[in-house]
Amino acid sequence: MVSKRERLEAAIAQEVADRPPVALWRHFPVDDQTTTGLAQSTAKFQSQYDFDFVKVTPSSSYCLLDWGVKDEWTGHTEGTRKYTQRVVHVLEDWHGLDVLDPLKGALGTQLGSLKELRELVGPDTPIIQTIFSPLSQAKNLAGQERLMQHLHQDPVEVEHGLETITESTLAFVEAVLDAGADGIFYAIQHASYRYFDLKGYQRFGRPYDMRILEAAREGWLNVLHLHGEAIMYDLARDYPVQVVNWHDREVDPSLFNGRAQISGAVCGGVGRDTLELGTPEQVQSEALESLGLLDGRGFVLGTGCVTSAIAPRTNIESLRNAVNFA
């Protein structure tokens, strides 16, 4: 019998074991506010569909709560929460951030959830922990508009904050791997020409990304997620990850062209709107089209981002089962 790890390692080598791997992930609003709630909801989702890896998807505030942000659940279909209190308002606030202890507070709670999830799914199911890039965390600390204003006004002040965020994240990544994760899902939201040109991202994004990904090298399943529009896909060529995920049904490059630029695997193939609003037949059609385009090689079937919390069960099952026909 082929294990989940063997199936994924074959995809990373741009080969196929018994079939291409498949994975989806989603938020669990309200449940994600407690250690056991997130662990149990994630494990139940996995037991229902038997994906080839499990992505831990806490609310984006999990890594920021110990700095004082607040958020609330307001019913967004993605399962995300709305920020109600930021902590960076003026430039000097970037100096008010302390390096966090990964074993305490909200970060410690997240580690506890990861450990509990490992016990629930067992040793043979790969688990990856969501880690947000320093710029993504800075955006949620200040708000997108204020972050960009501060970067134009006094970038050195913002860089002081980015350094603190990075130090905290490095410590947390180390703790995550010690807690039994197989890698990280590294979410980048600003590697986009909507926010930066290449020179700007080389200064404010890439150096911090590389430090965090280097710290995660002990993991064998590190996934790079390039979020949004006008993405800087060229980054994927030399970022030390095994899998690259982006909104492939919505933005360039295509899955085929994206795979051609990297040595590992790509993840995607089915549009998020199709999964949420389409029929099982439409979901299967997109899945089989993508599997055929890549000949099932170097490919993890999924979507370009988080699965909607209201995606129909039959649509999820249709995507999950499509790999059996590849």
Side-chain angles (χ1 to χ4, degrees), residues 146-155 158 195-196 204:
R146 184 175 289 118
L147 169 63
M148 299 310 291
Q149 175 192 327
H150 284 182
L151 280 169
H152 284 98
Q153 184 177 352
D154 194 337
V158 181
Y195 303 116
F196 295 101
F204 299 114

Side-chain angles (χ1 to χ4, degrees), residues 78-276:
E78 281 192 358
T80 52
R81 297 169 67 85
K82 179 181 178 181
Y83 283 86
T84 58
Q85 178 174 298
R86 311 282 186 179
V87 298
V88 173
H89 303 282
V90 297
L91 282 166
E92 291 76 12
D93 290 338
W94 295 108
H95 284 267
L97 305 174
D98 295 322
V99 176
L100 300 177
D101 185 337
L103 305 181
K104 296 181 179 179
L107 291 179
T109 296
Q110 181 59 39
L111 286 176
S113 186
L114 174 60
K115 293 175 182 178
E116 187 170 333
L117 177 61
R118 171 55 75 199
E119 293 180 2
L120 290 170
V121 302
D124 298 326
T125 297
I127 298 175
I128 60 176
Q129 171 71 45
T130 301
I131 300 292
F132 293 97
S133 73
L135 273 174
S136 297
Q137 295 183 54
K139 180 258 293 186
N140 289 329
L141 288 169
Q144 181 64 47
E145 184 176 349
R146 184 175 289 118
L147 169 63
M148 299 310 291
Q149 175 192 327
H150 284 182
L151 280 169
H152 284 98
Q153 184 177 352
D154 194 337
V156 174
E157 289 291 301
V158 181
E159 286 175 317
H160 185 93
L162 290 173
E163 180 63 31
T164 302
I165 294 168
T166 300
E167 290 296 328
S168 293
T169 306
L170 289 170
F172 184 66
V173 167
E174 181 179 354
V176 159
L177 296 175
D178 288 344
D182 296 276
I184 66 172
F185 182 94
Y186 189 62
I188 298 178
Q189 299 173 331
H190 292 84
S192 165
Y193 294 105
R194 290 187 60 189
Y195 303 116
F196 295 101
D197 57 16
L198 283 173
K199 183 178 179 181
Y201 198 78
Q202 289 287 348
R203 175 175 177 180
F204 299 114
R206 180 185 169 89
Y208 306 104
D209 294 341
M210 292 300 287
R211 287 167 62 187
I212 291 167
L213 290 172
E214 286 293 335
R217 274 191 183 271
E218 183 182 333
W220 64 271
L221 183 60
N222 292 314
V223 178
L224 173 66
H225 174 64
L226 297 170
H227 186 83
E229 302 172 351
I231 60 171
M232 298 175 178
Y233 191 83
D234 286 352
L235 294 172
R237 293 178 178 175
D238 65 348
Y239 272 30
V241 297
Q242 287 76 41
V243 181
V244 182
N245 172 244
W246 72 101
H247 304 241
D248 66 278
R249 285 277 176 177
E250 303 167 46
V251 303
D252 291 329
S254 68
L255 276 175
F256 184 83
N257 290 336
R259 188 190 63 176
Q261 297 181 53
I262 63 172
S263 60
V266 293
C267 176
V270 174
R272 293 181 299 159
D273 287 346
T274 305
L275 191 61
E276 178 180 345

